[in-house]
Amino acid sequence: MIFDTHAHYDDDAFDEDRETLLAQLKAAGIERVVNVGASIHSSHTTLELIEKHDFLYGAIGVHPSETEELNEEWMNWLEEKSHEKKVVAIGEIGLDYHWEEPARDVQKYWFVRQLDLARKVKLPVIIHSRDAAADTLEIMKEHGRDLGGVIHCFSYGPEMAREYLKMGYYLGIGGVVTFTNAKKLKEVVKETPIDRIVLETDCPYLSPVPNRGKRNSSLNLPYVVDMIAELKGITAKEVMEKTWENAKALYRMTE
Ligand SMILES: [Zn+2]
């Protein structure tokens, strides 16, 4: 039983075979997936997709790189849609300084606003943070300490991991942990208690070895499970069971 806590099945990369692929997941043991919005458009398409498939749940929110499209009207729309039954989180939101746009101030402003929205509607958050460790931590300490949620595709070192674990956050671990050059992330997984780790694909991106570079899907998660099991010295079955329970707790699902 595998829970993929972060996927983008509404992405164009799945246009050719989306329904066929989704139909294969359950038989492969992928029993629940959270499809994550990253813009207003993909929040719309996420809502459409989760309505069609009982095992898909959704998160809505605007990724830092897309924040220039946000305004009060769209914030009101996000608030309204956050009350829909299968919407389980606000995200993905955060900071991304990899490309120097939108301006850092713009990203920070809408990050804080979406954290405040999550507080208002009582949902956990999915945090995206790339090349922005210090600013993300500062904002999270001030505005996100009590919200609960996941640091998705965790990419920083053990010290930063400890800060988020202290605040009660889960760490999202995906394909990157199988890369031979992912030494830092392997250290993080070794040090993080198994009850604070959740599985994710971020598909279509970040396929694990041996499928690195190809389109990713939840079908690849067993490779991630095996690597986590090896790093922590436990069985793959334990990894699947624990991360399933963690994912349910993260998204506050009662069944
Ligand atoms: Zn994502």
Side-chain angles (χ1 to χ4, degrees), residues 180-223:
T180 36
N181 57 358
K183 288 210 180 69
K184 205 172 58 176
L185 185 60
K186 288 183 165 78
E187 271 316 302
V188 167
V189 169
K190 276 185 196 166
E191 280 194 27
T192 302
I194 188 66
D195 61 1
R196 307 299 292 283
I197 290 174
V198 293
L199 302 174
E200 65 168 54
T201 51
D202 205 19
C203 66
Y205 311 107
L206 300 173
S207 258
V209 173
N211 294 322
R212 190 174 180 177
K214 296 187 192 149
R215 185 185 73 172
N216 197 7
S217 86
S218 314
L219 296 174
N220 283 321
L221 277 174
Y223 298 115

Side-chain angles (χ1 to χ4, degrees), residues 6 8 92 152 202:
H6 192 120
H8 300 283
E92 52 189 295
H152 129 74
D202 205 19

Side-chain angles (χ1 to χ4, degrees), residues 7-10 33-37 42 45-46 49-50 56-60:
H8 300 283
Y9 281 113
D10 57 313
V33 177
V34 170
N35 202 78
V36 179
S42 61
T45 46
T46 291
L49 198 62
I50 65 175
L56 291 185
Y57 291 77
I60 55 172

